Amino acid sequence: MSLHDDAVLVLKDYEGQDELRQVYLDHLAAHPDGLWKACRDGHITASALVVDPTRERVLLTLHGKLRMWLQMGGHCEPGDATLAAAALREGTEESGIPDLALVPGGPVRLDRHHTPCAWHLDVQYAAVAPTGAVEAISDESLDLRWFGYDEVADVADGSVVRLLEATRARL
């Protein structure tokens, strides 16, 4: 199965956000290259909100280009077999934490936003860090920091707050 086929299946199975979900499906139907950064009309991206093992804090990255506190995430790559694998790869690369475990149940939410490169149609997952995990800043990040759930709204935008709310409901 191709990553494109996986994305269509994941989105068809996703419950909630019906209008936005349909935007994603229409995008993939119209753009065979709709998962790749080269698609100028926008592309599907994958992200993961990393939660600490005690489920009291989340790890956010101060994005190097956008200079905003965000969840880990980014563009799909040819080696990604599934959207979940892409989210897990991005989470691992950007947090420096191996052995992250995606929260069961598929994506937690969808978020469409404009970036300097194009529209991102982000498929957002949540991942739990293992006990004793130590984060490591990647080249794409200016900083990494753990924030208590009640601190996120003070540092991040509404999309991250909504992702945290959906994640907490899933946990």
Side-chain angles (χ1 to χ4, degrees):
M1 176 184 314
S2 71
L3 181 58
H4 191 280
D5 292 342
D6 174 75
V8 169
L9 287 176
V10 166
L11 290 164
K12 283 183 176 179
D13 287 346
Y14 178 74
E15 294 182 8
Q17 298 181 269
D18 294 339
E19 287 181 30
L20 186 57
R21 180 175 66 95
Q22 193 59 53
V23 168
Y24 283 40
L25 288 167
D26 291 347
H27 174 79
L28 288 172
H31 299 90
D33 63 343
L35 285 150
W36 311 118
K37 186 176 182 180
C39 184
R40 296 206 180 274
D41 288 335
H43 35 270
I44 303 290
T45 56
S47 66
L49 181 65
V50 176
V51 180
D52 79 323
T54 64
R55 291 165 172 75
E56 296 174 356
R57 302 177 301 160
V58 293
L59 183 65
L60 299 180
T61 178
L62 184 57
H63 193 279
K65 291 181 183 174
L66 301 177
R67 300 195 181 278
M68 297 171 61
W69 289 104
L70 300 169
Q71 74 277 10
M72 315 303 148
H75 297 106
C76 296
E77 295 180 0
D80 295 328
T82 63
L83 281 179
L88 194 56
R89 176 188 50 74
E90 285 288 338
T92 301
E93 287 176 359
E94 293 185 7
S95 72
I97 299 174
D99 302 322
L100 294 173
L102 289 181
V103 173
V108 174
R109 71 181 316 277
L110 307 175
D111 187 78
R112 181 177 183 253
H113 50 270
H114 197 265
T115 71
C117 77
W119 280 99
H120 280 186
L121 289 78
D122 198 28
V123 180
Q124 302 176 323
Y125 291 81
V128 178
T131 302
V134 177
E135 67 278 5
I137 297 174
S138 75
D139 293 342
E140 297 177 34
S141 178
L142 297 174
D143 197 5
L144 280 175
R145 192 174 308 159
W146 291 100
F147 291 96
Y149 291 163
D150 60 341
E151 299 173 302
V152 172
D154 295 332
V155 298
D157 71 4
S159 70
V160 178
V161 172
R162 290 185 295 275
L163 175 56
L164 173 59
E165 290 169 355
T167 297
R168 291 182 73 185
R170 178 76 61 88
L171 292 172

